[in-house]
Amino acid sequence: MTVYLLRRDELFFPHPEFADPDGLLAIGGDLSTERLILAYRSGIFPWYNNEPILWWLPPQRPLIFPMLFKMSRSLYQSLKKDIYKVSFDRNFISVIKGCATAPRRDSVGTWITPEMMEAYIKLHKLGYAHSVEVWFEGKIVGGLYGVSIGRAFFGESMFTLMKDASKVALACLVEHLIKNSFYFIDCQITNRHLLSLGAYELPRRVFLVLLDEALKKKDSIEWNKEPEPTSKTAKFLKEKLISRRIYEANSF
């Protein structure tokens, strides 16, 4: 197996065909803003616990197409009842810290190291990384963050401290992405939870074609939003979302 070693003084990633069977493409380099942007534009993402940095481009890629997001009945009720308020880009640091520290089922530790936090906070300040905050009685109880380039959103992590809070964040993100004609949410690594939310697992070559199309679109999207009730999101999604069963029946 050949894994490429990246130099800090050279902004470069090897061709996707050189990734190993699990998707590991390269090691090393740094988390500079320039390298991270190049990575996302190439379909690559960093994921590691300790040095060196590991860069991945898996053979299968889970994507959520906004119009095909799967909104469960319980999530719809949570949105409709205005249990929470949701904002965008109001407290990125609290969200990334929440993602790093919130307890997770069947998981110990976190891959969101202090170095990763610092790198994504820089991306946020430059307008690339964005957060969705879920509020309950004036406190953040859930949320998510990711990177937006063109009309592609690269999901990084989410957390929840109350029932459905992270799903509410995702639903409100989906609404925003539909309104702004985004192609997909890149979920990076497949799991059952993502599949239950409507993710499709696509071959790497198909993902890269879709990514190339999404990156041709302009980045000028307004993200900043004050905390708002979620009942309008429930109504919007109920009207706009396409049934997966109907979509597949007419597509294949």
Side-chain angles (χ1 to χ4, degrees):
M1 179 183 72
T2 300
V3 177
Y4 282 76
L5 177 63
L6 302 179
R7 294 165 42 186
R8 287 179 176 266
D9 61 350
E10 184 179 15
L11 198 57
F12 161 81
F13 283 104
H15 192 276
E17 69 182 18
F18 294 114
D20 77 6
D22 291 326
L24 181 61
L25 180 63
I27 64 174
D30 55 26
L31 294 176
S32 66
T33 297
E34 294 78 12
R35 190 181 299 276
L36 283 170
I37 295 302
L38 176 61
Y40 283 108
R41 294 186 68 90
S42 305
I44 301 164
F45 59 89
W47 187 37
Y48 67 103
N49 288 316
N50 299 295
E51 295 284 357
I53 302 169
L54 306 180
W55 299 91
W56 300 84
L57 186 54
Q60 299 291 322
R61 200 62 163 245
L63 304 180
I64 294 177
F65 299 104
M67 295 284 284
L68 298 174
F69 172 66
K70 188 174 180 180
M71 180 172 61
S72 67
R73 185 174 301 175
S74 64
L75 175 56
Y76 174 71
Q77 292 300 324
S78 292
L79 292 164
K80 187 177 178 181
K81 292 176 181 177
D82 285 332
I83 298 169
Y84 306 111
K85 291 185 177 181
V86 174
S87 61
F88 293 169
D89 280 0
R90 302 307 298 163
N91 200 327
F92 184 89
I93 293 176
S94 289
V95 170
I96 195 170
K97 286 183 177 179
C99 290
T101 60
R104 300 177 188 275
R105 185 182 302 174
D106 302 325
S107 179
V108 178
T110 180
W111 55 270
I112 306 175
T113 64
E115 181 186 25
M116 290 282 279
M117 285 190 194
E118 181 181 355
Y120 283 86
I121 289 170
K122 286 182 180 178
L123 284 180
H124 172 64
K125 291 178 178 178
L126 291 171
Y128 290 104
H130 303 282
S131 59
V132 180
E133 302 89 18
V134 180
W135 304 80
F136 179 77
E137 296 182 349
K139 295 182 179 180
I140 295 177
V141 296
L144 62 82
Y145 76 97
V147 174
S148 174
I149 305 176
R151 290 298 189 275
F153 188 87
F154 306 88
E156 281 297 317
S157 187
M158 59 173 58
F159 80 102
T160 185
L161 301 178
M162 290 181 63
K163 183 178 182 296
D164 282 343
S166 61
K167 293 180 183 178
V168 166
L170 182 57
C172 292
L173 173 65
V174 165
E175 176 190 20
H176 183 69
L177 300 187
I178 291 174
K179 289 179 176 178
N180 288 284
S181 302
F182 272 67
Y183 281 51
F184 56 75
I185 301 171
D186 171 28
C187 302
Q188 299 182 346
I189 302 293
T190 305
N191 59 47
R192 285 187 297 176
H193 177 62
L194 292 171
L195 294 175
S196 74
L197 295 170
Y200 280 88
E201 194 174 47
L202 300 179
R204 176 167 55 214
R205 59 181 177 77
V206 177
F207 163 65
L208 292 175
V209 170
L210 292 174
L211 175 60
D212 183 62
E213 290 299 314
L215 294 177
K216 292 176 182 177
K217 307 299 181 180
K218 293 182 179 180
D219 285 336
S220 55
I221 303 296
E222 176 57 47
W223 282 88
N224 201 304
K225 185 176 81 170
E226 296 289 339
E228 294 179 355
T230 58
S231 52
K232 289 183 179 179
T233 298
K235 182 176 184 295
F236 177 87
L237 293 180
K238 190 171 184 181
E239 294 174 351
K240 295 292 184 179
L241 294 180
I242 300 172
S243 164
R244 185 172 180 137
R245 176 176 56 83
I246 295 173
Y247 170 75
E248 291 180 349
N250 286 278
S251 299
F252 302 104

